[in-house]
């Protein structure tokens, strides 16, 4: 496995400044946002698609530093009704075209989340039994069969035409695919080109075990995010894992995203990567630093130190 960095954390730097900083950190691969919700600070997708000269200059900056693109990230909610879904769909389709021009074989995405019925304006995430109230059964069927699966079948064909080989879906709360079971549901209905971007932090905060999840996903893990979470002692015992406070309200939340090693210890991370390797994964581990309890520099240093000690090479 090789370490990469999700570069939005360095969004205050220009593209070339970011590449130099990543090199200073001892990392030679980047995962950059190019569509969806991402800030797209380092990938001017439309400019690169419109101007071949700019595209070649862009690639030259990567090449002269020996920097690889681990993946292009276009996570968003393309299944959202209305303007957001339309915008994210366009930027995601454009990202696939750009990936082909850059020779990038992997996209990191989210599954999207539709509304609960035709005509609804807001996405609905169903997390309780569909047994009652009885309207939920039809809503969940509509989300999968009428919206998600048709969208994904069409997009997979678009990706194949542009040389993309893998779509790694992040199992994010408030998305249709939020755990291994729902990943298998989409993959089996659409195409084995779809796999998991295993972000262990998300399974942690939903009460699942990412290591057991890796065993369930043998052959279907296409990417890994190096990202930790901490269940906050005392607070979780009172209020549980369902948390709606802003991420900036760290001290009052029942869980927080933290630098790698500040949630799970290094022994846990060693086992996580060992099992990932046993299950056939030997690709990039992209550090996604979203710890708001410390400075960006401290979070990067802490996480890189932990990952370099634990990833299987």
């Amino acid at each position: 496995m090789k370490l990469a960095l999700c570069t939005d954390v360095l969004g205050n730097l220009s593209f070339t400044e970011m590449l130099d900083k990543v090199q200073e950190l001892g990392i030679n691969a980047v995962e950059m946002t190019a569509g969806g919700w991402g800030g797209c600070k380092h990938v001017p997708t439309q400019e690169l698609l419109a101007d071949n000269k700019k595209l070649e200059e862009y690639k030259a900056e990567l090449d002269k530093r020996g920097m690889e693109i681990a993946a292009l990230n276009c996570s968003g909610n393309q299944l959202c009704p209305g303007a957001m879904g339309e915008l994210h769909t366009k930027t995601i389709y454009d990202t696939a075209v750009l990936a082909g021009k850059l020779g990038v074989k992997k996209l990191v995405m989210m599954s999207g989340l539709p509304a609960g019925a035709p005509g609804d304006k807001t996405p609905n995430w169903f997390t309780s039994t569909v047994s009652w109230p009885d309207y939920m059964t039809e809503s969940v069927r509509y989300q999968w069969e009428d919206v998600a699966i048709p969208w994904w079948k069409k997009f997979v064909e678009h990706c194949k035409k542009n040389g993309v080989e893998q779509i790694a879906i992040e199992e994010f709360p408030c998305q249709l695919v939020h755990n291994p079971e729902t990943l298998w549901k989409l993959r089996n209905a659409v195409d084995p080109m779809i796999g998991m971007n295993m972000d262990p932090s998300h399974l942690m905060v939903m009460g699942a075990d990412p290591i057991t999840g890796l065993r369930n996903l043998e052959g279907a893990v296409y990417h890994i995010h190096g990202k930790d979470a901490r269940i906050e002692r005392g607070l979780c015992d009172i209020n549980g894992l369902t948390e709606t406070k802003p991420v900036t309200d760290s001290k009052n939340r029942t869980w927080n995203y933290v630098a790698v090693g500040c949630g799970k210890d290094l022994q846990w991370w060693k086992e996580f990567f060992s099992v990932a390797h046993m299950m056939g994964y030997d690709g990039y581990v992209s550090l996604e630093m979203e710890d708001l309890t410390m400075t960006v520099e401290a979070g990067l240093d802490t996480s890189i130190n932990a990952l370099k000690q634990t990833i299987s090479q």
Side-chain angles (χ1 to χ4, degrees), residues 206-256:
M206 289 187 282
D209 177 12
I211 294 174
T212 306
L214 285 170
R215 293 183 181 276
N216 175 268
L217 289 163
E218 182 176 3
V221 175
Y222 289 170
H223 198 64
I224 290 178
H225 271 174
K227 185 176 167 191
D228 205 346
R230 184 172 62 236
I231 309 303
E232 301 295 359
R233 62 183 71 192
L235 297 177
C236 178
D237 302 287
I238 297 169
N239 293 317
L241 290 170
T242 304
E243 179 56 86
T244 59
K245 297 182 188 70
V247 293
T248 51
D249 191 14
S250 303
K251 70 176 182 178
N252 293 312
R253 288 173 54 85
T254 60
W255 59 264
N256 288 292

